[in-house]
Amino acid sequence: MKSNIKIILLALAMLIAGLVIGYLIFGNSGTPMDSMEPTAHQHDSVETAASGEEIWTCSMHPQIRQNEPGDCPICGMDLIPLSENTSNDPLVLEMTSEAVKLANVQTTIIGGSTEVSGQTLRLSGKVQADERRASSQVAHIPGRIEKLYVSFTGEQVHKGQRLADLYSPEMITAQRELLEAKKMANVSPELLTAARDKLRYWKIPEATIQEIEEDGQIKETFPIYADATGIVTNRRVAVGDYIKQGGVLFDLVNLSKVWVLFDAYEEDLRNIRLGSQISFTTPAIPNQTFTAGVSFIDPVINPQTRVAAIRVEVSNPGGRLKPEMLVYGTLENRQASSVALTIPKSAVLWTGTRSVVYVKLPNTTVPSFQFREIELGDRLGQSYQLISGLEAGEEVVTNGNFAIDAAAQLNNQASMMNKDVLLKGADHTEHLPDYTESTPIDFKQQLMDLTQSYLALKDAFVATDPEQAGTFAATMIDKLAQVDMSLVKGDAHLYWMEQQEALQAHGQQIVELTDVEEQRRQFDFLSQALIKTIKVFGIPDDTLYIQHCPMAFDNEGAEWISIAEQIRNPYFGDQMLSCGIVQETIDKDFKNPPSVTPAAKPMAGHNH
């Protein structure tokens, strides 16, 4: 009994001790223990959890999406909350200060109107031989070459110089006729005159004819003398060759005066006149400037390069200017003074016929840059005359604009590749037309054949082989010429003509350039045109991958087309072979985005 009482007392003591401890811990909390109502802080926590995890992104690479803070896997910048990008204007890209520094963004304020007294055109060209000073040295009598006194290409020849000795049976016969006619001169003077004239027709000098008559000796070989002064550009004969009367021995060109042919773009032709003075230099003759007036303007534009030849004629004492030398010239166009607003050349991004700039917006809490299309006039040295699109005092990006444009493109905002974009929550149509339904399958197949030649060109850049790139670019141009544009009608036909011109121009540049980095820049432009083309017209049964390298061209970014999902970067080759992401997949069922912009999706597959 006593034992049970002890147990009961011990239990009561433990219960009392627990109540005391509970009071000490929770007694001053201000909230009853049995109350289940959450505090205001608890309400906030519940709402945050219900709304899902916060998304973190990179201000330079908006395709990056993570559910926790960290570093961008592409550029290493700190990720920022997606909610910080608050702008609903598709023409305005917001960036962090760190992103601006990373892209090395620099700006210039467009000044007030400035007075322009003329403009300077920069021209490049080559030295060429004067076609009017080319000649052919011929043999005036038939015979066999017994000896050559000029025997190699490039040798200087002067008028009257002995070039060769010729054995001519016809001349031997003619001399015998002359001697026989000389004997019968008293009986038949007409025969002597005819015999002399025969030799004169063969351009035998009078002194030689007189010598034959006086000596009575028949000459077995006759010399051939130069009819003109010049450089031997082609030797047509060798010792022992038989040559007919009028046969060519040598091709000559006189380089005492030469032509210099400059390439002038069609938009510059309005500023060039006959007599306009062009000053030029050549790396082969440093520290010397030549000046000459324009003597000829080609009346035809080259359809591949879109340039016309501008010719000047220059005296060339000593032959220092040699054919095929590169020259760089300037033409000062002296016009009446005018007032113009100008923009630095580095601020302008070119896309087809459009000119684009990014304007830094004033009075914003974060750096903001607005996409703006402008209209340009004449080129003024390192600037362009501004016709419309900007006003004095506005601040334009002059460095880092490609990086801004690449970020805007990845964020589905206005950019060079996205001419028209959709306002968030509004109803607009996408900027690319959709001709996939009306385009005949034959035309789509021809586009796929063209793409196959493009893929070979892409592989040449993956291998960093500029010579092979030029070869495959030429093949692609041939394929482009085989596309039957009559298969598409109306607006589709006009759209194809626009893209065809871009493909032709940039493909030809790849053919003509030898530096692989310059070729890759043209490949980027060519890729943009082909990507738009296959999106607009569609493809038959294949699958293509649009891939993107954000680090190309100093982080400007660039796209290309691949038949395989695996990244093989044509802009870096084996330096960063797997750098890039799959940006889009196109197959026969591909459609341009609908009228309302969908939410941005994270890009998969970036590798470095």
Side-chain angles (χ1 to χ4, degrees), residues 160 163 180 524 586:
L163 302 179
E180 291 298 324
D524 176 27
I586 298 178

Side-chain angles (χ1 to χ4, degrees), residues 118-124 262-273 276-280 294 310 328-335 345 377-384:
Q119 61 176 305
T120 300
L121 296 181
R122 306 288 180 181
L123 304 170
S124 61
F262 294 97
D263 291 332
Y265 289 101
E266 51 188 311
E267 62 266 24
D268 293 331
L269 291 177
R270 59 185 173 183
N271 301 312
I272 302 174
R273 300 286 185 273
S276 297
Q277 294 295 305
I278 297 180
S279 299
F280 65 91
V294 175
I310 306 300
Y328 303 96
T330 57
L331 185 149
E332 299 290 343
N333 187 25
R334 304 295 182 184
Q335 298 177 338
K345 184 179 179 181
D378 294 332
R379 184 174 57 189
L380 308 173
Q382 295 302 311
S383 301
Y384 286 100

Side-chain angles (χ1 to χ4, degrees), residues 420-463:
D420 302 312
V421 294
L422 309 173
L423 292 173
K424 297 178 181 179
D427 186 13
H428 294 272
T429 56
E430 224 282 335
H431 73 287
L432 286 180
D434 187 356
Y435 302 130
T436 54
E437 295 295 335
S438 60
T439 301
I441 190 65
D442 289 345
F443 189 80
K444 293 181 179 181
Q445 186 57 55
Q446 291 176 15
L447 289 184
M448 196 61 206
D449 293 342
L450 179 65
T451 304
Q452 290 294 339
S453 61
Y454 165 90
L455 293 172
L457 174 60
K458 182 263 298 181
D459 290 339
F461 285 119
V462 172

Side-chain angles (χ1 to χ4, degrees), residues 521-556:
R521 172 61 76 180
Q522 296 300 320
F523 177 73
D524 176 27
F525 297 143
L526 183 144
S527 298
Q528 294 177 33
L530 187 57
I531 289 170
K532 289 195 291 185
T533 299
I534 63 177
K535 282 184 176 182
V536 167
F537 295 103
I539 57 177
D541 298 319
D542 303 270
T543 299
L544 299 175
Y545 299 94
I546 310 302
Q547 298 174 339
H548 174 81
C549 172
M551 300 180 68
F553 308 119
D554 295 329
N555 296 320
E556 295 170 13

Side-chain angles (χ1 to χ4, degrees), residues 55 57 62-63 65 82 410-412 424 597-603:
I55 302 299
T57 185
Q63 75 271 25
R65 298 288 192 273
L82 184 64
L410 291 172
N411 205 32
N412 196 32
K424 297 178 181 179
T597 305
K601 297 180 180 180
M603 298 295 181

Side-chain angles (χ1 to χ4, degrees), residues 187-464:
V187 178
S188 180
E190 295 83 2
L191 288 177
L192 180 58
T193 302
R196 288 171 176 169
D197 288 343
K198 185 175 183 179
L199 295 177
R200 293 189 184 107
Y201 293 151
W202 281 341
K203 293 194 175 182
I204 303 300
E206 288 291 336
T208 302
I209 296 174
Q210 185 176 355
E211 182 182 351
I212 294 171
E213 292 181 10
E214 292 176 354
D215 294 345
Q217 299 293 325
I218 294 176
K219 298 180 180 294
E220 293 187 356
T221 59
F222 273 80
I224 298 177
Y225 297 99
D227 296 327
T229 297
I231 301 294
V232 176
T233 58
N234 189 14
R235 180 170 65 89
R236 302 285 191 92
V237 294
V239 174
D241 288 349
Y242 185 87
I243 190 167
K244 296 180 180 180
Q245 182 181 0
V248 179
L249 283 73
F250 306 101
D251 292 326
L252 304 175
V253 62
N254 190 332
L255 298 179
S256 61
K257 282 190 175 182
V258 293
W259 288 348
V260 179
L261 300 181
F262 294 97
D263 291 332
Y265 289 101
E266 51 188 311
E267 62 266 24
D268 293 331
L269 291 177
R270 59 185 173 183
N271 301 312
I272 302 174
R273 300 286 185 273
L274 291 177
S276 297
Q277 294 295 305
I278 297 180
S279 299
F280 65 91
T281 60
T282 174
I285 309 176
N287 303 322
Q288 182 163 354
T289 301
F290 301 85
T291 302
V294 175
S295 60
F296 177 78
I297 301 175
D298 197 330
V300 179
I301 299 292
N302 186 309
Q304 279 77 40
T305 60
R306 310 306 306 170
V307 300
I310 306 300
R311 187 171 76 210
V312 302
E313 300 175 15
V314 186
S315 295
N316 188 29
R320 292 185 302 164
L321 293 173
K322 304 183 186 303
E324 300 303 321
M325 274 185 176
L326 292 175
V327 296
Y328 303 96
T330 57
L331 185 149
E332 299 290 343
N333 187 25
R334 304 295 182 184
Q335 298 177 338
S337 296
S338 61
V339 176
L341 188 66
T342 60
I343 182 173
K345 184 179 179 181
S346 60
V348 183
L349 303 178
W350 298 96
T351 169
T353 58
R354 297 184 297 126
S355 306
V356 172
V357 297
Y358 279 92
V359 179
K360 184 178 180 182
L361 297 181
N363 305 321
T364 56
T365 56
V366 295
S368 302
F369 303 94
Q370 184 182 56
F371 176 89
R372 189 87 61 85
E373 287 193 27
I374 61 174
E375 185 179 357
L376 299 177
D378 294 332
R379 184 174 57 189
L380 308 173
Q382 295 302 311
S383 301
Y384 286 100
Q385 183 180 355
L386 184 65
I387 297 177
S388 63
L390 290 169
E391 295 181 359
E394 290 193 291
E395 192 172 356
V396 296
V397 177
T398 53
N399 189 73
N401 39 10
F402 280 103
I404 294 175
D405 189 82
Q409 180 183 338
L410 291 172
N411 205 32
N412 196 32
Q413 293 183 267
S415 66
M416 288 194 296
M417 292 291 288
N418 295 338
K419 179 181 178 182
D420 302 312
V421 294
L422 309 173
L423 292 173
K424 297 178 181 179
D427 186 13
H428 294 272
T429 56
E430 224 282 335
H431 73 287
L432 286 180
D434 187 356
Y435 302 130
T436 54
E437 295 295 335
S438 60
T439 301
I441 190 65
D442 289 345
F443 189 80
K444 293 181 179 181
Q445 186 57 55
Q446 291 176 15
L447 289 184
M448 196 61 206
D449 293 342
L450 179 65
T451 304
Q452 290 294 339
S453 61
Y454 165 90
L455 293 172
L457 174 60
K458 182 263 298 181
D459 290 339
F461 285 119
V462 172
T464 314

